[in-house]
Amino acid sequence: MAIEIRKTNCHYCGYLCAFDATVEDGSVTELTPDPTRYPYDASTSKRCRRWKLNLSKLYDEDVRVNYPMRRVGERGSGKFERVSWDTALDEISAKLKQLVDEYGPWTLASAIGGPHAVYWPLHRFMNLLGSPNNMGIGPICWNPRIWMDTMTYGWSIEVNFDPSLTGCLILWGTNPAESDNSLFWRTISQYVKGGGNLIVVDTRLSVTAAHATVWLHPYPGTDTVLAYALARVIIDNGWIDEEFVRDWCSGFEEFSAAAHERSLEEASEITHIAVDDIVEAARLFATNPPAGLLSGRGVDQIGPNTAPLHRVLASLRAITGNVDVPGACRLNTAPSFLSELELEGSDRLSGESRAHGLNEPDCGLQSWAGWERACKLTGKLDRYLPARYLTSALPVRVWKAAVTDEPYRISAIICDGANPLVTYADTKLVLEAFKRMDLVVVLEYLMSPTAQMADYVLPAAGAIERPAFQAMGGVEDFCYGGPRAVEPPFERKEDYEILRALALRMGQSEEDWPAKDLTEELARTIAPTGMSWENFKISGIAGGSPQFYKHLITNPETGEPQGFATTSGKIELGNSFLESLGAGYVPGWFPVPGVHDDSVLEEEGCVTLITGARKQPYWASSYFEVPSFRKAHPKPTVEMSAATAARLGLEEGDACLISRKDTPDIEILQYVTISDIVDGVASAEYGWWYPEEEKGLPGLSGCFTSNVNLLTRGTVDMTPEPLIGTWIYNGIPCRIRRKD
Ligand SMILES: Nc1nc2c(c(=O)[nH]1)N[C@H]1C(S)=C(S)[C@@H](COP(=O)(O)OP(=O)(O)OC[C@H]3O[C@@H](n4cnc5c(=O)[nH]c(N)nc54)[C@H](O)[C@@H]3O)O[C@H]1N2
Ligand SMILES: Nc1nc2c(c(=O)[nH]1)N[C@H]1C(S)=C(S)[C@@H](COP(=O)(O)OP(=O)(O)OC[C@H]3O[C@@H](n4cnc5c(=O)[nH]c(N)nc54)[C@H](O)[C@@H]3O)O[C@H]1N2
Ligand code: SF4
Ligand SMILES: [Mo]
């Protein structure tokens, strides 16, 4: 028997832990964490329940989609037949050509999800075809941070948390104890055990918050008020870094005035946080340099308050002198490997196609025009943001175009690593859009509710059967990953190969798709660093060595420090560029009706709903089919305080029905859990569907039972927030009643 140890990476969440695979006669029989490659944590394989799926799902014949499947009967019948790859790809490309001839290339939409696969192959396909309509979750995940850090500092940052240096760490709207139970969280929990200062800003007492030195619990979406209150305390106590503010920040006076608009008592009333806690957190953060501040998903999803908050957070780092400083944060540099921008081929999308983008012209940044404007600033330091993710079409506009044919017809969609019927806002609208399309193609591992609405489901290769690669969204000079352990079993293919095959059938050239598979594509990607794929397989990591204080580097032409890639060359606490796009010169706070007024507590049965708090062992809409996971966490839960439960007449464990105040007839089923969370707020799980239930319409395997996105809406109010178009997942006026 031939036994070999091969390097590979788990990809059952976005962290890509390094493993050694034991391969016996071509089959993987064992996995052990690989201490020689990043990211390695000795205890991950003990704490993480998911990595064993690498073995159980690899050869799975029941749940996995293993062959190209074509719909039988009406769309949504839930019935499929196996066809050959050639048949599937020939039919898809013929239909797509017909639709493009009839309606123009923008008739094709695409959808991506979380960090599952590399998405640039799909984006290249869309660019070369000529469609701007790729949807992403960007406006509510990651983009707000990237956009606002870039607008404030000239480029994005990475928190440089170093337990031996960092004097204080703020985690704002992020719960790595459950969302990232790998290396990062373990480093933080050890830091806290060793006496490190941790401030957690979370509406709930999350597992992370339970470890905090100070826990600040803002009412959902009031974070901007809290951030300004912290700034006020820091300024009033003389805790700012005066020299740095004088030399490297612009707009301080206006920023300070905005911070002083409200007294601490007023801020306390709005946020539901005691003044003493605000003062103590400000002191810990400002007087223990270097200090890091990392924000997360919780505050990427607060609608009109998202972009303003991230500007104030960026300013908090700046006024305390914590920008591009070891132990605080590092201003990223552009990749030394092929950038996402080059790989996705955005320069090939014509002006006419860009003008068909549904975010034009009112998204000041998250649009093609916005991206072009931003590049003029950042280009000063030769930095160009990746385009596709940061211009991604607002899904609500794409779905509405599919339903109404306005402003033009969206007739086809490709979903890659996404389950929009469960994870995108407004499930009913998404369903209507899918029903009206002429062509639906889904690249998947399993028959998700979205796959059940497809005409063709194409079997995607998963972890350890394809190489893994994480390039930090293309904004950093750092990437990691590794090779596959084995070829994909059955007839599964890598997403890259599927899209390339479709591209060639659509008439795109081999020159535009020079690599025949993902391994070749990744070798090509890292080649500019001078590293071969063979060496990358061993080290698992590529990129430049980190540098700090880069604004001080001398510009050879002027002999002056190069500064920051912003309008003023300084960090912009007040931002005239954003002002020219309709945002405030300094950010404001925008109360949301029905959430930030008294109606929540005054009207019977009402709460403010937040959604999607991450819990182990699930990931978004994934792994609900795994029996041991369902045993460990059998029911979707909605958390609320004991006082809120009493007001609603509910008790621990009660089945309850949750509805939006404006659509009382749409109700979802979840189960009450009493926890430590701000009164008047309830936190519902997301991602739930029931794979064991019947496939096909009307139920789509329980897609309409507990799915919280039946209650969310993707619509955005561009008046207060004319930059990104972030919709609300956290802060929805709802009613909850006991299920009789
Ligand atoms: N209400 C609410 N909604 C939310 C959120 C929230 O907090 N609240 N969070 C949002 C966020 S931040 C995100 S990132 C999204 C996540 O949303 P999604 O990414 O759509 O959800 P997942 O379940 O992670 O993955 C979708 C599908 O991808 C498939 N898949 C996994 N890997 C691959 C692959 O390599 N190739 C292919 N072709 N398919 C693959 C899985 O089988 C799964 O069915 O949800 C968003 N939706
Ligand atoms: N187990 C698991 N892990 C995951 C995922 C998963 O689905 N499951 N998804 C992955 C993905 S796609 C992402 S984007 C990351 C996200 O990872 P994180 O950014 O860490 O997001 P969460 O773990 O949801 O933590 C967000 C916290 O914000 C709090 N919150 C909600 N509303 C507000 C508010 O208005 N203000 C404040 N201050 N806090 C608020 C919630 O209570 C929650 O505890 O996780 C990744 N990891
Ligand atoms: S933390 Fe994520 S990448 Fe690491 S072993 Fe677990 S599922 Fe796999
Ligand atoms: Mo995400």
Side-chain angles (χ1 to χ4, degrees):
M1 192 193 292
I3 299 187
E4 236 187 290
I5 305 295
R6 296 192 194 149
K7 297 201 174 296
T8 195
N9 295 65
C10 176
H11 204 151
Y12 279 102
C13 83
Y15 302 99
L16 275 57
C17 293
F19 280 88
D20 280 327
T22 306
V23 182
E24 296 183 32
D25 286 337
S27 297
V28 182
T29 53
E30 205 189 332
L31 284 170
T32 45
D34 173 5
T36 68
R37 284 182 309 143
Y38 176 85
Y40 164 76
D41 168 25
S43 68
T44 296
S45 63
K46 278 197 211 94
R47 284 177 301 122
C48 172
R49 295 206 195 99
R50 284 190 290 254
W51 66 274
K52 288 196 177 138
L53 299 176
N54 285 295
L55 293 170
S56 60
K57 289 203 168 209
L58 184 60
Y59 302 109
D60 178 277
E61 292 190 40
D62 303 325
V63 176
R64 284 287 294 264
V65 179
N66 290 322
Y67 306 95
M69 305 299 278
R70 182 174 61 194
R71 164 169 67 83
V72 177
E74 296 282 291
R75 177 167 305 132
S77 66
K79 298 196 173 62
F80 292 86
E81 63 186 353
R82 180 176 162 184
V83 291
S84 72
W85 270 109
D86 278 340
T87 303
L89 293 170
D90 287 346
E91 290 180 8
I92 294 167
S93 54
K95 182 76 188 175
L96 190 53
K97 277 182 193 157
Q98 183 204 325
L99 294 169
V100 166
D101 283 348
E102 198 169 341
Y103 304 114
W106 29 85
T107 199
L108 175 66
S110 65
I112 62 163
H116 305 303
V118 293
Y119 289 126
W120 71 73
L122 175 67
H123 293 162
R124 186 186 305 166
F125 180 84
M126 296 292 281
N127 280 329
L128 296 173
L129 185 82
S131 173
N133 288 321
N134 77 289
M135 295 176 275
I137 35 77
I140 47 87
C141 180
W142 192 69
N143 285 14
R145 288 167 253 171
I146 298 300
W147 272 126
M148 293 305 115
D149 289 341
T150 301
M151 289 299 106
T152 310
Y153 312 132
W155 200 244
S156 71
I157 57 130
E158 205 59 43
V159 168
N160 186 251
F161 172 57
D162 177 344
S164 66
L165 281 178
T166 304
C168 178
L169 177 67
I170 301 189
L171 296 176
W172 199 305
T174 175
N175 178 21
E178 300 221 54
S179 66
D180 173 351
N181 68 339
S182 65
L183 181 60
F184 180 60
W185 169 244
R186 211 163 71 110
T187 317
I188 295 174
S189 58
Q190 284 173 344
Y191 171 72
V192 176
K193 274 187 205 134
N197 297 306
L198 177 69
I199 297 165
V200 175
V201 186
D202 196 311
T203 305
R204 297 179 308 136
L205 183 68
S206 64
V207 178
T208 304
H211 284 71
T213 322
V214 177
W215 169 41
L216 303 177
H217 41 72
Y219 202 81
T222 63
D223 298 74
T224 315
V225 176
L226 171 62
Y228 266 137
L230 294 173
R232 179 184 178 129
V233 175
I234 291 169
I235 294 167
D236 289 351
N237 284 283
W239 292 331
I240 65 168
D241 183 333
E242 276 183 23
E243 203 179 310
F244 188 76
V245 170
R246 184 194 64 214
D247 295 346
W248 290 110
C249 297
S250 75
F252 177 72
E253 260 173 48
E254 291 84 348
F255 176 78
S256 175
H260 284 82
E261 240 169 55
R262 255 173 240 107
S263 68
L264 293 183
E265 289 68 27
E266 284 166 329
S268 167
E269 191 161 316
I270 294 170
T271 60
H272 298 210
I273 302 171
V275 170
D276 286 352
D277 287 346
I278 297 175
V279 174
E280 175 59 2
R283 187 189 67 77
L284 278 179
F285 179 67
T287 64
N288 288 291
L293 192 167
L294 173 71
S295 63
R297 199 264 328 154
V299 287
D300 275 351
Q301 303 180 345
I302 51 175
N305 289 301
T306 309
L309 169 68
H310 283 89
R311 289 176 67 189
V312 186
L313 296 184
S315 301
L316 276 175
R317 293 188 198 100
I319 61 169
T320 50
N322 280 306
V323 179
D324 220 12
V325 168
C329 78
R330 192 178 69 245
L331 213 55
N332 291 323
T333 43
S336 54
F337 41 94
L338 277 187
S339 71
E340 186 100 4
L341 186 57
E342 291 163 275
L343 291 162
E344 69 193 12
S346 281
D347 56 331
R348 304 285 294 277
L349 190 72
S350 71
E352 192 191 5
S353 288
R354 289 179 189 206
H356 276 80
L358 295 170
N359 299 3
E360 321 285 335
D362 57 341
C363 279
L365 293 173
Q366 179 86 22
S367 59
W368 285 95
W371 175 82
E372 286 162 15
R373 282 182 206 114
C375 285
K376 286 201 183 115
L377 291 180
T378 61
K380 290 176 185 171
L381 292 181
D382 212 19
R383 292 170 190 158
Y384 300 93
L385 291 166
R388 270 299 175 168
Y389 201 65
L390 288 153
T391 61
S392 66
L394 296 178
V396 69
R397 297 187 180 183
V398 176
W399 306 132
K400 286 211 166 131
V403 172
T404 63
D405 292 351
E406 293 294 333
Y408 51 80
R409 174 142 179 75
I410 301 275
S411 65
I413 186 167
I414 300 178
C415 298
D416 185 12
N419 188 6
L421 271 159
V422 183
T423 58
Y424 278 40
D426 203 344
T427 308
K428 289 252 153 114
L429 175 66
V430 179
L431 180 67
E432 284 317 301
F434 271 83
K435 282 186 179 164
R436 265 207 101 227
M437 303 253 185
D438 295 316
L439 175 67
V440 177
V441 179
V442 174
L443 282 59
E444 252 299 348
Y445 292 167
L446 80 179
M447 281 292 171
S448 67
T450 302
Q452 293 173 35
M453 287 300 291
D455 304 322
Y456 298 87
V457 182
L458 303 178
I464 82 172
E465 43 184 321
R466 56 130 200 254
F469 191 67
Q470 171 59 272
M472 323 307 282
V475 295
E476 200 184 341
D477 190 12
F478 175 69
C479 64
Y480 68 92
R484 62 177 168 203
V486 286
E487 300 262 326
F490 307 99
E491 288 188 15
R492 300 174 201 153
K493 281 186 197 289
E494 300 164 347
D495 302 58
Y496 175 88
E497 281 185 273
I498 300 173
L499 288 157
R500 181 178 189 268
L502 197 57
L504 298 183
R505 276 178 173 75
M506 291 300 294
Q508 299 180 15
S509 80
E510 297 223 6
E511 273 161 45
D512 290 321
W513 296 87
K516 77 170 190 318
D517 60 18
L518 187 57
T519 303
E520 274 188 26
E521 176 75 353
L522 295 179
R524 185 172 91 89
T525 303
I526 56 168
T529 65
M531 189 181 272
S532 68
W533 178 250
E534 287 311 309
N535 284 337
F536 184 77
K537 272 160 71 173
I538 297 163
S539 69
I541 196 164
S545 44
Q547 273 181 297
F548 294 90
Y549 307 106
K550 291 181 286 295
H551 55 289
L552 299 176
I553 294 172
T554 308
N555 175 335
E557 273 164 36
T558 61
E560 301 284 324
Q562 67 173 10
F564 296 89
T566 57
T567 312
S568 63
K570 294 184 176 186
I571 291 178
E572 310 229 312
L573 309 180
N575 196 316
S576 49
F577 176 69
L578 295 184
E579 194 179 23
S580 75
L581 300 177
Y585 177 68
V586 289
W589 178 62
F590 305 98
V592 176
V595 171
H596 300 123
D597 49 48
D598 293 334
S599 60
V600 181
L601 294 168
E602 281 171 6
E603 283 180 39
E604 206 184 310
C606 288
V607 292
T608 290
L609 194 73
I610 58 176
T611 72
R614 273 52 176 161
K615 302 211 174 130
Q616 294 291 333
Y618 302 115
W619 174 286
S621 66
S622 294
Y623 316 130
F624 290 91
E625 77 286 4
V626 181
S628 61
F629 289 17
R630 285 289 286 285
K631 215 172 153 199
H633 191 98
K635 289 175 180 172
T637 60
V638 54
E639 291 180 40
M640 61 189 74
S641 70
T644 304
R647 181 168 63 83
L648 301 177
L650 295 168
E651 284 174 21
E652 173 83 27
D654 276 356
C656 67
L657 295 168
I658 317 173
S659 60
R660 276 177 83 89
K661 268 168 81 174
D662 54 4
T663 50
D665 49 322
I666 304 175
E667 293 184 304
I668 64 159
L669 171 69
Q670 300 218 355
Y671 295 82
V672 176
T673 294
I674 309 291
S675 75
D676 208 341
I677 175 172
V678 177
D679 286 340
V681 179
S683 170
E685 286 183 12
Y686 94 119
W688 277 84
W689 59 292
Y690 298 88
E692 67 279 14
E693 289 186 12
E694 198 178 335
K695 290 192 176 61
L697 288 168
L700 297 179
S701 299
C703 177
F704 307 101
T705 310
S706 299
N707 173 0
V708 83
N709 280 320
L710 284 158
L711 311 182
T712 60
R713 299 292 174 263
T715 33
V716 284
D717 181 356
M718 298 306 286
T719 316
E721 201 281 270
L723 303 175
I724 302 176
T726 303
W727 56 96
I728 298 179
Y729 281 148
N730 292 327
I732 305 166
C734 283
R735 283 208 161 79
I736 305 189
R737 66 181 177 102
R738 189 202 306 264
K739 184 174 188 283
D740 297 319

